Amino acid sequence: MLVPLLVAGLFSGAVPQVGETAPDFTAKDSAGNVYTLSEMVKKGPVILAFFPKAFTGGCTRELKAYRDRYADVEKAQGQVLAISMDDAETLTRFKADLKAPFPFIPDPEGKVVGAYDVKMPLLSVPKRYTFVVGEDRKILKVESGNDAIDPNGAIVSCPLRKPAGADAKTPDSGTK
């Protein structure tokens, strides 16, 4: 009886999908800086890169690719948060080793990982998932597995925004 439940658990879940509202969260990065998703999206799209384990092959390739394409992320006024269930000390070393210019969020208790339902069953590691979150926390893109190693899909999904103050003035259409 337990086996069918475990198998069902592998294939069901509530991973947020394109068009849905991303779960909000506040978390500290490995340096102690605080990030709140609902505040971050006001400045531009946010790429949430969940990865299984620091210093492993796929995760190293994925996060090096984000590092190497970070100028493209910035051109789209995007931001990257790399999230795993590793502890802060491990992520501090991993970020330094990669020379990554973006924050790494340790989530050892799996609070953010759980909110996005990307935790591997029976293991304390997240599945590899990438979410691009736009204005009002709307999910613009979801990638998983090997597709999430290449940041290109996430980067091109970041909507271009006008710089602050660049909005064209619209004529007043009447009295208030």
Side-chain angles (χ1 to χ4, degrees):
M1 179 132 184
L2 183 59
V3 172
L5 287 175
L6 289 174
V7 171
L10 292 173
F11 298 106
S12 66
V15 174
Q17 298 300 311
V18 171
E20 295 179 1
T21 301
D24 199 12
F25 63 87
T26 298
K28 285 185 181 181
D29 71 1
S30 56
N33 301 307
V34 177
Y35 295 87
T36 300
L37 182 63
S38 56
E39 292 301 313
M40 292 180 72
V41 297
K42 292 175 183 176
K43 298 174 188 154
V46 179
I47 298 170
L48 303 176
F50 290 91
F51 65 98
K53 204 82 178 135
F55 297 105
T56 59
C59 298
T60 299
R61 272 195 338 270
E62 175 185 6
L63 296 167
K64 277 184 177 180
Y66 273 104
R67 175 200 65 200
D68 295 345
R69 299 279 314 273
Y70 199 67
D72 296 329
V73 172
E74 289 182 314
K75 280 181 198 166
Q77 295 181 348
Q79 306 153 84
V80 174
L81 290 180
I83 305 168
S84 84
M85 292 179 71
D86 290 306
D87 61 43
E89 182 182 320
T90 300
L91 289 186
T92 298
R93 289 193 329 265
F94 192 40
K95 177 178 166 46
D97 187 62
L98 296 175
K99 297 177 178 62
F102 46 85
F104 281 55
I105 306 293
D107 188 25
E109 284 114 36
K111 290 179 182 171
V112 179
V113 168
Y116 283 79
D117 198 30
V118 296
K119 184 180 174 295
M120 286 189 198
L122 308 177
L123 300 173
S124 290
V125 296
K127 300 173 197 171
R128 185 180 321 282
Y129 261 90
T130 301
F131 298 89
V132 179
V133 183
E135 290 183 85
D136 299 321
R137 296 192 345 255
K138 290 296 178 214
I139 297 177
L140 306 173
K141 176 91 171 163
V142 178
E143 291 185 316
S144 63
N146 287 337
D147 292 341
I149 290 176
D150 181 355
N152 190 60
I155 293 168
V156 300
S157 296
C158 290
L160 293 175
R161 295 165 53 116
K162 293 178 183 175
D167 291 335
K169 300 237 189 252
T170 56
D172 192 352
S173 59
T175 59
K176 294 183 181 181

